[in-house]
Amino acid sequence: MSSQSITVDLGERSYPILVGKKLIKDLGRQVAHLYLGDKVATLAVAIVDDLYGRAVRESLAGSGIPSETILVPDREGAKTIRTYQHVMEQLLRMKVGRGTIVIALGGGCVGDLAGFVAATYMRGVRLVQIPTTLLAQVDSSIGGKAALNLPEAKNIVGAFHQPSLVLSDVSLLKTLPTREVRCGVAELIKYAAIMDLRLLEFLEKERVSILGLEEGAMVRAVSWATELKSGIVARDERDQSGLRALLNFGHTFGHAVEAAMKYHGLSHGEAIAVGMAGEIRLAEALGMVSKKDVERLEALIVSYGLPIRLKGVNHRDLIRFMGHDKKAEAGRLRFALPNGLGNGTIVSDPPKKTATDAMRGCL
Ligand code: GLY
């Protein structure tokens, strides 16, 4: 499959997401449409800069666009106030104005930082996302959520700031460790379970090509997820109507799992996998899916090497952390659950014992 261009339809803030192979070499030409004369700043962690920084700089330079790379710490280290301040100071040192473009070259954490920098440097500059992980390509680079953490709470400092362009180059996934590929697949399974039974069938059939990062299958999977998420973002950009909240299937339990494990041991995708296994059991208890649906989803999760059970966590801790989640509105728990596989709905405040029992089933 050749490359695809998917538009996130937000009126005058609409933007294209390009999904394809070897897209980086065309970056300069794509950014030239947005270029206003100031130097471009690319944010990346050292290991990603080593792999792809040069290709990015050369492609930009080939279109006459000067750029500089600002190195940032990896993972959640990118999302601290200290890193944010460092990046802002570097932009000042570069003497760039409102015409600069911030490029996020990396995974979800670098994307979140770059988004927040772009939202706030001189009250807002343009942002280009080049996601280099599967998770960032199918989820975090789409839709303009940008955030930093405080020691007390994740993603608590944030903004909505849509990019002007997203370049999802599946050739960049070649260097991704298998564990990271699986984490991206967890989000693909999420879209399938709440939005698209045909995607679920595709993931069942194409497991070997997806885990093998076969480029045709990856373009199909990434563009499929991009289309699903873009449609939701276009209709509920600011997460207000409940539609975007559907994307939280697996996340109410999953975030509690991450917090109970103090963000160690399990990656985000793995926590979401356990979360989906727990939440589909809740959907079953509420009569929304059959036992067969539960078994089918669990088999899919396991077939990608993702966990559905957790050891060494106390269920009381999980319940406590579930109440802290951003999605708990005024003390009420909210879940995005499949209502039949491939179709999702929001359930507010299910009976506490039913939710607790479903969660205990994951332990
Ligand atoms: N990851 C969920 C969202 O972007 O709304």
Side-chain angles (χ1 to χ4, degrees):
M1 183 184 273
S2 56
S3 64
Q4 306 265 309
S5 176
I6 296 145
T7 303
V8 183
D9 192 357
L10 291 166
E12 59 186 23
R13 287 174 301 107
S14 295
Y15 56 94
I17 300 180
L18 307 182
V19 183
K21 316 174 208 176
K22 301 193 176 65
L23 295 179
I24 285 283
K25 59 178 176 8
D26 201 34
L27 174 70
R29 207 173 58 85
Q30 297 295 339
V31 171
H33 302 298
L34 310 168
Y35 182 54
L36 296 172
D38 270 322
K39 211 176 200 183
V40 166
T42 302
L43 308 194
V45 304
I47 185 168
V48 174
D49 183 56
D50 285 348
L51 290 165
Y52 307 119
R54 189 165 165 192
V56 164
R57 283 185 289 276
E58 284 181 1
S59 180
L60 291 169
S63 292
I65 302 171
S67 72
E68 195 171 316
T69 301
I70 302 173
L71 294 180
V72 298
D74 71 352
R75 301 192 181 265
E76 301 293 329
K79 292 178 59 173
T80 63
I81 300 285
R82 181 197 278 249
T83 304
Y84 169 69
Q85 180 173 355
H86 169 72
V87 173
M88 291 305 231
E89 286 167 356
Q90 293 303 307
L91 293 174
L92 273 181
R93 179 193 51 74
M94 286 165 63
K95 294 193 171 45
V96 291
R98 298 199 64 203
T100 189
I101 299 169
V102 175
I103 297 184
L105 175 67
C109 291
V110 170
D112 274 8
L113 166 72
F116 195 70
V117 166
T120 50
Y121 184 69
M122 294 191 170
R123 299 203 179 87
V125 298
R126 290 176 180 203
L127 169 70
V128 170
Q129 293 272 4
I130 309 178
T132 57
T133 64
L134 182 58
L135 195 141
Q137 291 192 353
V138 299
D139 189 8
S140 57
S141 67
I142 309 162
K145 281 189 180 175
L148 303 178
N149 302 329
L150 291 182
E152 299 79 6
K154 282 187 81 174
N155 294 333
I156 203 71
V157 179
F160 285 95
H161 187 69
Q162 299 294 341
S164 300
L165 167 72
V166 181
L167 213 111
S168 278
D169 184 343
V170 302
S171 307
L172 305 184
L173 303 176
K174 280 264 146 59
T175 48
L176 207 60
T178 308
R179 188 170 177 197
E180 296 261 358
V181 177
R182 292 184 173 137
C183 291
V185 171
E187 299 286 353
L188 285 169
I189 294 176
K190 172 194 83 177
Y191 289 115
I194 49 151
M195 293 181 77
D196 196 334
L197 196 55
R198 283 181 315 120
L199 176 59
L200 196 99
E201 287 159 8
F202 173 79
L203 294 173
E204 286 171 337
K205 260 219 263 22
E206 298 296 333
R207 186 179 62 84
V208 174
S209 342
I210 290 174
L211 287 177
L213 294 170
E214 196 265 293
E215 287 190 333
M218 295 321 281
V219 172
R220 184 102 198 274
V222 174
S223 52
W224 202 328
T226 301
E227 263 165 26
L228 291 172
K229 181 159 181 185
S230 299
I232 287 204
V233 169
R235 285 182 289 152
D236 184 19
E237 181 186 6
R238 298 210 156 221
D239 217 345
Q240 283 165 330
S241 77
L243 190 62
R244 189 161 177 168
L246 277 183
L247 302 175
N248 291 325
F249 172 49
H251 286 61
T252 305
F253 277 7
H255 284 165
V257 164
E258 285 183 295
M261 298 193 62
K262 301 191 173 57
Y263 301 96
H264 288 297
L266 276 194
S267 66
H268 176 69
E270 289 162 348
I272 295 321
V274 176
M276 288 190 289
E279 290 185 15
I280 196 163
R281 279 170 185 271
L282 173 58
E284 184 193 11
L286 295 171
M288 296 162 65
V289 294
S290 66
K291 191 170 180 350
K292 246 183 155 169
D293 291 334
V294 176
E295 286 166 1
R296 184 172 178 191
L297 193 78
E298 287 195 343
L300 181 64
I301 296 172
V302 169
S303 75
Y304 278 93
L306 288 160
I308 54 171
R309 301 279 179 271
L310 201 62
K311 286 209 167 60
V313 173
N314 181 309
H315 82 276
R316 282 198 187 81
D317 282 346
L318 286 184
I319 291 154
R320 189 161 51 86
F321 283 113
M322 217 155 56
H324 292 177
D325 195 82
K326 277 210 285 351
K327 290 174 287 306
E329 259 181 4
R332 297 163 71 117
L333 281 178
R334 278 172 97 213
F335 290 91
L337 298 179
N339 194 7
L341 272 183
N343 182 39
T345 195
I346 299 292
V347 174
S348 286
D349 239 2
K352 199 162 175 215
K353 183 166 181 329
T354 317
T356 312
D357 286 349
M359 198 146 198
R360 283 177 94 155
C362 297
L363 303 178

